[in-house]
Amino acid sequence: MARRPLPRILKPGSAQLARSRELARTAADSATDVLHPLITISRGLRRLASAGRRRWAETPKDKRGPLLFLVASVVLVVALVPYGPLLAVVALMAAAAWQGRDRTPPAPEGPDEAQTTRLGSLYEALVPYFSTTEDPTPLYAHGGDWEKAFPAYEFDDAGRVARLRVRYPAYFPDGEPEARARVEQLLAAKAGRGREYLFAWDEEGNELTVDVLAPLPTDISAQRFVTAPGETVLGFTDPTHTQRTLPLTHGEEPRDVPPVVWRTGIRSTEPHLLAVGQPGTGTSTLLRSIALQALQYGDVLVVDGGATGEYACLTGRDGVLGVEVGLAGAQTALEWAAQETERRLITANHARQAGHPPPEDTKRPLWILLDRPTAFTHLAAADGQKDPQPHLQAPLRHGRAAQVTVVVTEQFDALDALGDAVRQHTRARVVLGPATPHQLAAVLGTPPHTTPVDHMPPGRGYARLGTGPVHRLQVPATPDPYDDATSDADRQAVLDLLPPRSAPVDADTVSVKTVSMEKAVSMEKA
């Protein structure tokens, strides 16, 4: 999909101005073609003059007199010879044309020996997949011609394949995911491991295009994104997968980066989100990033099943209803969230029946952020108490109408412990960190069109909103500002986005990371 250009302000006469620029550009190109010999000779004369000056500067002073006498003698002889001046001018012009020629070496036609060997090995590896004994004129055969199978190819500076267009026979079952996966896995292994490849299958034309994707930027920190109410930036993706860009502060120069925008609210088709990943892959970072964006327009309730103090920076802030880390607090908070959802629905329904708009307290967005809720399930089972997850049914089922959004993060090994309501109503999905194709398909509903790699930076993964395409995703760096391992720049970026405190911090929460909190608080006051 082509990237949409930035909108331009239309002014009277813009069409005439565009035509005038096009005419001027055409005239300049025509003049360059006509005056090309003159440009070449002028360039050659400058080079000859520069060579003469260097020769004169390199000549010792005691030898400059004889050199001038020799040059004057040659000029005199040429002037006395019949047609001498004309021949001298012709020789000078020929020398200038030779010196002024374009010395750029021509691009090599066709691949070199190493590239030919690599393409040949790719061709031989694809023979078992794209050939059959019943084909009278096989496109793929051992010892066959790879040039017919690979009509277009590009290589990078390291000599590895950067882009490849593969033709395959019409009888190949390109509509079967298993057959596609085998070919994609083979090409990713033979073209070079450690890179992500994008596979575009053209079933009508029987062609497969393989592109090497550039790494997503990992140095984008948390900041105030230019979004509308109800829009949340999950992260950033490739420019070919979205028609929108966001202006960001990147180092000293701003730039535009394509985002993955998740829309919530009454008209959203994906009102709730589920993020899955192993420890250290960035699920907590994603939850903090969502919380900082949600606090601009609504209230946030955080339930931390990990109990690691990752969200202590939100405690006591304006708009934060609570940060619960215990089983009793989680039970009470989720029970209140269910009752609040029902209250909003009943109040809005009564207002509509009376012909009045819904009250403002029912339209303010409420975000329920849960990190590893299955941990409370195990604790409740061990203590003989009720599982707090059933309280999520009301916010998940009726949250869109009540302006309630639920975000759940969990690990792969605990997905089976999630309630049916969570798995059914979280239509926006995110997978962070390394994962097998089977795990990606199980969470996202379909495997991505790119090859997952074994090593990913924190916050790297895939996102899918509803039934849309699978996007590569890089979550903006939103670390815990009270963590000692956080850099000063990232810590300050998060502290600048936090709302002011409206309540004192609880002593138990502060004791989790006392030293780092004191440092962060001092920076915040400064």
Side-chain angles (χ1 to χ4, degrees):
M1 184 180 295
R3 184 176 176 181
R4 180 182 299 175
L6 294 176
R8 295 182 299 176
I9 301 176
L10 299 179
K11 296 181 179 180
S14 59
Q16 291 81 354
L17 181 60
R19 285 196 296 269
S20 301
R21 290 178 177 176
E22 185 64 25
L23 290 175
R25 190 179 298 108
T26 304
D29 295 340
S30 301
T32 302
D33 295 338
V34 172
L35 299 177
H36 182 70
L38 182 59
I39 295 174
T40 302
I41 293 175
S42 301
R43 188 189 304 118
L45 290 175
R46 289 197 303 270
R47 291 177 180 176
L48 290 175
S50 299
R53 286 196 298 268
R54 288 196 302 270
R55 179 64 178 175
W56 177 260
E58 294 174 357
T59 303
K61 294 183 178 181
D62 56 342
K63 295 183 179 180
R64 291 182 179 180
L67 179 60
L68 287 176
F69 179 76
L70 178 61
V71 172
S73 302
V74 172
V75 171
L76 180 61
V77 171
V78 170
L80 296 177
V81 173
Y83 303 103
L86 179 59
L87 294 176
V89 172
V90 172
L92 180 61
M93 293 298 103
W98 176 258
Q99 290 292 331
R101 71 188 186 281
D102 189 6
R103 300 182 181 182
T104 303
E109 298 181 0
D112 55 20
E113 183 178 356
Q115 296 172 354
T116 302
T117 303
R118 184 178 290 272
L119 292 175
S121 64
L122 284 174
Y123 175 83
E124 292 292 336
L126 290 173
V127 169
Y129 299 90
F130 290 152
S131 64
T132 180
T133 56
E134 292 80 7
D135 191 351
T137 56
L139 180 62
Y140 288 83
H142 292 292
D145 186 9
W146 60 263
E147 295 183 356
K148 296 181 180 179
F150 304 150
Y153 46 84
E154 295 178 8
F155 291 87
D156 57 12
D157 297 336
R160 297 189 298 178
V161 176
R163 180 181 176 85
L164 182 65
R165 188 152 56 94
V166 180
R167 294 178 56 196
Y168 57 88
Y171 53 76
F172 175 74
D174 51 7
E176 300 179 2
E178 295 80 7
R180 287 189 178 189
R182 289 193 297 267
V183 174
E184 293 175 358
Q185 182 179 5
L186 173 68
L187 289 174
K190 293 294 183 181
R193 297 183 182 273
R195 300 184 298 175
E196 288 191 80
Y197 297 89
L198 174 64
F199 298 96
W201 292 84
D202 182 8
E203 300 181 11
E204 296 181 359
N206 297 323
E207 288 187 349
L208 168 63
T209 303
V210 184
D211 288 305
V212 177
L213 298 176
L216 294 177
T218 59
D219 53 354
I220 299 178
S221 59
Q223 53 192 280
R224 193 67 71 193
F225 303 116
V226 183
T227 56
E231 293 183 343
T232 303
V233 177
L234 299 179
F236 304 94
T237 184
D238 300 296
T240 57
H241 288 175
T242 180
Q243 299 181 354
R244 179 178 178 180
T245 58
L246 289 181
L248 301 179
T249 303
H250 175 65
E252 298 180 355
E253 298 181 359
R255 63 170 178 172
D256 294 336
V257 181
V260 177
V261 178
W262 173 39
R263 293 176 176 84
T264 58
I266 297 179
R267 295 176 177 83
S268 173
T269 58
E270 306 89 19
H272 310 294
L273 181 139
L274 172 63
V276 184
Q278 299 294 348
T281 57
T283 54
S284 300
T285 296
L286 174 62
L287 211 60
R288 275 190 297 269
S289 176
I290 293 176
L292 293 179
Q293 298 179 63
L295 287 173
Q296 298 181 69
Y297 309 105
D299 299 326
V300 173
L301 174 62
V302 182
V303 178
D304 182 12
T308 57
E310 292 282 343
Y311 311 98
C313 60
L314 299 174
T315 304
R317 303 283 179 175
D318 291 343
V320 180
L321 303 180
V323 180
E324 303 296 339
V325 296
L327 176 59
Q331 186 82 20
T332 304
L334 295 183
E335 184 177 359
W336 173 86
Q339 296 175 357
E340 175 64 13
T341 302
E342 296 174 355
R343 183 196 69 81
R344 291 187 175 204
L345 291 175
I346 296 174
T347 303
N349 186 30
H350 289 168
R352 293 189 183 96
Q353 290 180 357
H356 301 295
E360 292 297 328
D361 61 344
T362 63
K363 295 189 297 183
R364 181 172 175 81
L366 172 62
W367 292 73
I368 305 174
L369 310 181
L370 298 98
D371 190 359
R372 296 187 61 191
T374 57
F376 295 116
T377 302
H378 298 301
L379 290 176
D383 295 342
Q385 302 182 21
K386 293 183 179 180
D387 184 6
Q389 284 197 63
H391 295 301
L392 292 174
Q393 292 186 4
L396 288 170
R397 294 179 184 274
H398 310 289
R400 181 173 61 177
Q403 294 286 345
V404 178
T405 302
V406 179
V407 180
V408 180
T409 63
E410 194 50 78
Q411 299 179 8
F412 280 107
D413 54 1
L415 286 179
D416 295 337
L418 286 176
D420 294 336
V422 176
R423 291 195 296 265
Q424 293 175 3
H425 295 280
T426 52
R427 294 174 50 84
R429 299 292 181 90
V430 173
V431 177
L432 298 180
T436 63
H438 176 72
Q439 291 175 329
L440 292 174
V443 177
L444 301 176
T446 182
H449 295 290
T450 61
T451 55
V453 295
D454 297 333
H455 302 284
M456 291 185 177
R460 247 312 258 114
Y462 299 92
R464 189 187 186 198
L465 304 179
T467 58
V470 179
H471 301 277
R472 288 204 307 166
L473 180 71
Q474 178 62 52
V475 178
T478 316
D480 181 10
Y482 300 158
D483 190 356
D484 291 333
T486 303
S487 64
D488 292 340
D490 291 340
R491 178 182 290 109
Q492 189 61 48
V494 175
L495 292 175
D496 292 341
L497 298 178
L498 288 172
R501 292 189 182 276
S502 58
V505 182
D506 184 68
D508 296 336
T509 305
V510 178
S511 63
V512 176
K513 297 175 182 177
T514 307
V515 178
S516 299
M517 179 177 287
E518 292 177 354
K519 181 179 180 180
V521 170
S522 62
M523 292 182 60
E524 185 178 358
K525 292 180 179 180

